[in-house]
Amino acid sequence: MKSKTATKTLLTMLFSLAMLFLLVGDVSAKEAKTSTYVLDAKSGVGYQTAFRAYANDISNSTTIMLPSNDCSVSVKATGGVVAKVTYTSLSIGENGYHSNYNLKDKEGKEIQFKGAATIAVFSPKDGTYYLNVTVKKGKKQLTRKKIKVIFGYTSMIEKISYAGKTMEFSNLVTTKGSGKLSVKVGKDFALKKIEYGGYDAKGEVQYKTTKNNKKITLSGQKTFTNVDYSYGFDDPDASYANESGSDVNYIYPVTFVRITVQDKKLGIQQTNTVEIYKK
């Protein structure tokens, strides 16, 4: 009797664990958020929930994606921030559309919008402010959105050094084939991952993951053959089959360093890639 009870209890536990896995899913496989753009399914409007901007800079802007070509956008800002709709583009033709690479459907295809409006913002000082954006379809209000603007942009990556030498630009030429790689990020960011790698014989970059302030070995591959494209049928002797490629021979072998950071205020991840060349 005890054996049957124990077996029943074990099966119940296994079933519960299986259901928990199905409900939770593989958390580690969940893709990191890389943009604050969202789609309001009810109105069909795409917009940023928040973005960063530089104080005393007139080039700051955000874009509102519109579901139809009879939409209009107006904006009011808090804290004395100057905000204005500076550009509106509407697709009149049946096949014309606008898209934003940050807004995609479940299949990974860019969503098609019938219009886009750019809102420029200006502030003489740092701080967090808000834009109150109203979208109308004809004369009727379609939706209202509140967008956060963070003035006071800090550097995502403040310093990168390899083998004791600081990178002044996005690339570095060195005689040292191995050395410590160090990355310092800005105060509003957190370092998430460092990857490095070079080309293989087929022209594909093979990345490895490393930790900060650890020694890495640079790539020695400077030549490879890269096939650009091919088309035709399976018959290799067919006259209509074609394949094109290129032979590459760099001056120095290159190692790509890919650095991923988390924006603490926007809650998104960004990746920056630099290059190290070995003489």
Side-chain angles (χ1 to χ4, degrees):
M1 191 71 173
K2 290 183 178 179
S3 178
K4 289 183 178 181
T5 303
T7 301
K8 184 177 180 181
T9 303
L10 178 60
L11 289 173
T12 302
M13 290 175 63
L14 290 173
F15 178 77
S16 299
L17 287 172
M19 291 302 297
L20 180 63
F21 179 80
L22 289 173
L23 290 171
V24 176
D26 186 359
V27 177
S28 63
K30 186 177 180 181
E31 291 186 5
K33 187 178 178 183
T34 59
S35 169
T36 65
Y37 269 100
V38 295
L39 175 69
D40 179 10
K42 185 176 181 180
S43 65
V45 172
Y47 66 102
Q48 282 181 290
T49 58
F51 67 99
R52 289 182 175 273
Y54 291 96
N56 287 306
D57 190 334
I58 61 172
S59 64
N60 303 301
S61 65
T62 186
T63 301
I64 311 296
M65 307 304 296
L66 306 171
S68 62
N69 57 19
D70 60 345
C71 288
S72 60
V73 178
S74 60
V75 58
K76 291 183 179 180
T78 64
V81 171
V82 178
K84 183 180 180 181
V85 179
T86 56
Y87 178 79
T88 303
S89 178
L90 301 173
S91 297
I92 307 301
E94 182 180 348
N95 297 322
Y97 68 91
H98 294 72
S99 63
N100 185 307
Y101 64 88
N102 291 303
L103 292 169
K104 299 178 181 179
D105 59 21
K106 294 180 180 179
E107 297 178 353
K109 297 180 180 179
E110 292 184 1
I111 299 171
Q112 296 183 1
F113 297 89
K114 296 303 290 185
T118 299
I119 299 176
V121 295
F122 176 84
S123 173
K125 59 183 180 179
D126 292 344
T128 299
Y129 307 98
Y130 292 89
L131 305 180
N132 294 305
V133 179
T134 301
V135 180
K136 290 185 177 181
K137 180 178 171 61
K139 295 183 179 180
K140 184 179 178 181
Q141 179 175 301
L142 185 61
T143 187
R144 291 191 69 187
K145 300 299 176 187
K146 190 174 185 179
I147 300 175
K148 180 189 292 187
V149 189
I150 303 170
F151 284 92
Y153 207 106
T154 58
S155 298
M156 185 172 73
I157 299 176
E158 293 186 350
K159 181 181 178 181
I160 305 173
S161 64
Y162 168 76
K165 187 174 182 180
T166 300
M167 297 184 68
E168 300 294 339
F169 304 100
S170 60
N171 61 75
L172 174 69
V173 179
T174 179
T175 58
K176 297 182 178 181
S178 62
K180 185 172 73 172
L181 178 68
S182 299
V183 178
K184 181 182 179 182
V185 299
K187 65 178 182 178
D188 289 342
F189 300 88
L191 182 61
K192 299 298 290 185
K193 184 169 38 174
I194 301 176
E195 301 165 283
Y196 71 100
Y199 290 111
D200 61 15
K202 294 182 180 180
E204 298 178 355
V205 181
Q206 304 296 330
Y207 280 102
K208 298 178 182 178
T209 301
T210 185
K211 293 183 178 180
N212 199 16
N213 300 312
K214 293 295 183 180
K215 187 177 181 180
I216 67 170
T217 299
L218 301 185
S219 171
Q221 187 79 32
K222 66 177 181 179
T223 63
F224 59 85
T225 299
N226 185 17
V227 177
D228 294 327
Y229 62 90
S230 62
Y231 62 89
F233 294 94
D234 294 335
D235 183 2
D237 297 324
S239 59
Y240 42 76
N242 183 62
E243 190 172 86
S244 177
S246 56
D247 292 325
V248 180
N249 189 354
Y250 282 117
I251 296 177
Y252 302 123
V254 58
T255 298
F256 298 95
V257 177
R258 194 161 59 185
I259 303 164
T260 302
V261 301
Q262 178 82 13
D263 189 319
K264 297 178 182 178
K265 292 188 175 181
L266 294 183
I268 61 174
Q269 287 190 12
Q270 296 174 281
T271 300
N272 187 50
T273 301
V274 297
E275 301 167 4
I276 303 175
Y277 292 87
K278 168 67 174 65
K279 281 188 178 181

